[in-house]
Amino acid sequence: MKAPAAPQGQLSGTRSSAVYALLLTLGVLDASGYSLIAPVLPALAQQTGSGATEMGILVAAFPLGMIAGFAAGGRAVRRMTSAAVITGGLLLVAAGCLGFILGTELAVFVVARLVMGVGSGCLWLGITFTTLAAWPGQEYLCTSRVFAAYSAGGLLGPLLGAVQGVRGPFAAYLVLVLAAALPVVVLRPPSYAGALTADRRALRSRGFWAAGAGIVLAVLALGTVEGVLPLHFGTRLTQSQIGVLYAATSVLVAVAATLAARLTPRRALTAATVPVVAGIAAAGAGESVLVWIGALAVAGVGIGMANTGSIGVLLDAVPAQRIVTAMVLWSQIGILGYLAAPALGGPVADAYGYVAVAGVVAVAALAVPLTLGRPGRT
């Protein structure tokens, strides 16, 4: 993937390509931490004697930590260098991994996952704001590639999670996280101080709230797939097989996200609602592996389209130079979907069965056409 041209002498030549490759690699690594947990859930449930509700709480701890990480990262990006913010995020993720390697109790795992979420929130903002500041004028192109990298991370995470047991997947991830810290220190990604500003007026844009509805749908669906359905799939699939299934789904998410760029953001968001809800409903209702494969393929296409449409609406509604406040809040709004998915979906699955979790996603899907249908700049 070719690095964008360096503007105004900020980055040039070999260093520009190296920094760009590093940011994309960090995106892959960060996203793999999201989906790492899915194949491990059945083993965690067995080890701790927990059901869907308790596992939902464990999964929800990560996005809860991310919300705190977004808040901390939003302040840090105005005061610290890019390298410091990104390195701090990596160290927090590493500390959370140690909790899974050394711990044995559910409470320890919940705290460890919370710490990993805080680190991930800092990483996301560090990667995104560095990208926006380093290549002005190419914000949509560069951020779309960052999202592609995050989709690739959705492929790596389940493969790491397919390692048997609880400790193995997190030990493997810890090695990768620590290895990533060295190039961050050596390359010293360019800082965004002064390049981007905070502007709360952007939050009054109707397009911003439409983008918020879109990212809630995408992340709520992802949280449902990763945080609730693995226990359903665990009735017929092994940990490794679940990892492969999720890795294959991530490929479709990435492809759909790329192809959705050919549509206008509004059309991509609107079109995403049907496959997201239908795919999750079919996965919950199905009892065979073939049905699950097809259902996740459909849901993955919808998730990818929603991701692309949402960021497109956001960048169209808010100028990149004033996007700090909007990006932080948009990120927090989105991750609330990942928090709500297991927190709501777990109890719903326990009470009414796994097919019922599609109803939670359907509520979010209804908000998309309602917000897109409002007048205003989007």
Side-chain angles (χ1 to χ4, degrees), residues 196-296:
L196 305 172
T197 61
D199 184 356
R200 298 189 66 84
R201 291 176 299 175
L203 305 183
R204 295 196 293 268
S205 165
R206 289 169 177 172
F208 167 79
W209 291 106
I215 198 62
V216 165
L217 172 63
V219 182
L220 179 70
L222 181 64
T224 300
V225 169
E226 294 183 350
V228 181
L229 292 179
L231 296 181
H232 181 45
F233 300 152
T235 59
R236 292 183 180 273
L237 298 175
T238 66
Q239 181 173 339
S240 298
Q241 290 171 333
I242 293 173
V244 172
L245 175 62
Y246 276 61
T249 302
S250 296
V251 173
L252 291 176
V253 173
V255 171
T258 301
L259 295 179
R262 300 182 180 182
L263 302 174
T264 65
R266 292 172 60 90
R267 289 182 179 176
L269 271 183
T270 302
T273 57
V274 173
V276 164
V277 177
I280 290 176
E287 296 294 339
S288 72
V289 176
L290 286 178
V291 170
W292 293 341
I293 292 173
L296 286 189

Side-chain angles (χ1 to χ4, degrees), residues 82-141:
S82 302
V85 175
I86 292 173
T87 301
L90 289 171
L91 292 178
L92 286 170
V93 171
C97 288
L98 287 175
F100 282 91
I101 295 170
L102 303 177
T104 57
E105 302 295 330
L106 178 62
V108 174
F109 296 147
V110 170
V111 172
R113 196 63 177 159
L114 183 73
V115 172
M116 290 183 72
V118 175
S120 179
C122 292
L123 271 177
W124 162 251
L125 290 186
I127 293 167
T128 303
F129 286 132
T130 301
T131 302
L132 292 175
W135 294 284
Q138 302 183 67
E139 294 88 357
Y140 185 73
L141 171 65

Side-chain angles (χ1 to χ4, degrees), residues 167-213:
R167 292 183 175 88
F170 287 92
Y173 187 53
L174 176 61
V175 172
L176 296 178
V177 169
L178 294 177
L182 180 59
V184 173
V185 174
V186 172
L187 287 174
R188 299 188 308 277
S191 287
Y192 23 66
L196 305 172
T197 61
D199 184 356
R200 298 189 66 84
R201 291 176 299 175
L203 305 183
R204 295 196 293 268
S205 165
R206 289 169 177 172
F208 167 79
W209 291 106

